[in-house]
Amino acid sequence: GIPKLEQFSSRIANFDPPHVIEDVIENALDFGASVVCIDYLQRVKTRRRSSLDTRSNIDSVLSTCRDAAMTYGLTIFVASSLARAASKQGADAYCIDNLSMASFKDSGDIEYAADSAYLLGRSGPKQRLLKCVKTRDDEDGWTVSYDFNGAMYEQIGRAHV
């Protein structure tokens, strides 16, 4: 699969910090992107208000993403960290059976703002499961199972903008 992905590497841009959502959107539009992936939500800031508490900042970032998606037709994927409570469960915290919408850090804001929400977790020693926990347009609860082989993981080149 990596050789097939390498043909797209010239279409991948990585933005150096600080990550300000308005700058990310502007650069994505300048780059001609139709898909934006943000990894991860809690590290992105906004220009809308200069001194926001974490929760207000996340709400503002998600609102900016939603506005950009509607205005420019962008597809925006935003990864979020898990809440600390989930992390305290130890290794089992990432077992898909222990994850739900409430597992996201700042889950209330995400649940309100997101069109769709997915969790990625372990379903076995080398199995992963992508689970849809929320969608506005279809039924949630569906899953996609796949095998994960860490030895095959390889990072492909990125364009720095």
Side-chain angles (χ1 to χ4, degrees), residues 17-25 38-65 78 105-106:
H19 302 292
V20 178
I21 191 60
E22 293 87 353
D23 294 341
V24 171
I25 299 298
I38 298 172
D39 184 14
Y40 65 97
L41 173 61
Q42 288 75 15
R43 296 186 62 141
V44 179
K45 305 295 180 214
T46 182
R47 267 194 254 144
R48 285 189 179 176
R49 294 176 224 130
S50 58
S51 60
L52 295 176
D53 60 67
T54 302
R55 184 174 176 182
S56 297
N57 183 71
I58 286 171
D59 180 56
S60 186
V61 168
L62 291 172
S63 292
T64 301
C65 289
V78 181
K105 188 171 187 175
D106 308 298

Side-chain angles (χ1 to χ4, degrees), residues 83-95 97-99 103:
R84 191 174 300 273
S87 301
K88 289 181 181 176
Q89 295 177 23
D92 287 339
Y94 300 105
C95 174
D97 294 334
N98 296 333
L99 299 174
S103 301

Side-chain angles (χ1 to χ4, degrees), residues 14-157:
N14 183 46
F15 300 100
D16 294 322
H19 302 292
V20 178
I21 191 60
E22 293 87 353
D23 294 341
V24 171
I25 299 298
E26 183 179 309
N27 285 322
L29 293 170
D30 290 346
F31 189 73
S34 57
V35 177
V36 176
C37 298
I38 298 172
D39 184 14
Y40 65 97
L41 173 61
Q42 288 75 15
R43 296 186 62 141
V44 179
K45 305 295 180 214
T46 182
R47 267 194 254 144
R48 285 189 179 176
R49 294 176 224 130
S50 58
S51 60
L52 295 176
D53 60 67
T54 302
R55 184 174 176 182
S56 297
N57 183 71
I58 286 171
D59 180 56
S60 186
V61 168
L62 291 172
S63 292
T64 301
C65 289
R66 188 165 184 77
D67 292 348
M70 293 185 338
T71 302
Y72 304 112
L74 294 171
T75 299
I76 304 176
F77 293 97
V78 181
S80 173
S81 61
L82 292 179
R84 191 174 300 273
S87 301
K88 289 181 181 176
Q89 295 177 23
D92 287 339
Y94 300 105
C95 174
I96 198 69
D97 294 334
N98 296 333
L99 299 174
S100 68
M101 186 71 196
S103 301
F104 290 114
K105 188 171 187 175
D106 308 298
S107 61
D109 295 317
I110 294 169
E111 186 170 11
Y112 176 76
D115 286 338
S116 300
Y118 306 89
L119 289 164
L120 179 62
R122 291 186 195 107
S123 57
K126 293 193 179 227
Q127 288 76 41
R128 301 298 183 263
L129 195 70
L130 179 69
K131 179 170 135 181
C132 178
V133 293
K134 177 198 174 182
T135 181
R136 290 194 203 279
D137 300 325
D138 202 359
E139 290 185 38
D140 56 351
W142 56 265
T143 60
V144 176
S145 181
Y146 65 97
D147 293 331
F148 176 76
N149 182 346
M152 297 295 293
Y153 173 79
E154 182 178 337
Q155 184 170 344
I156 60 174

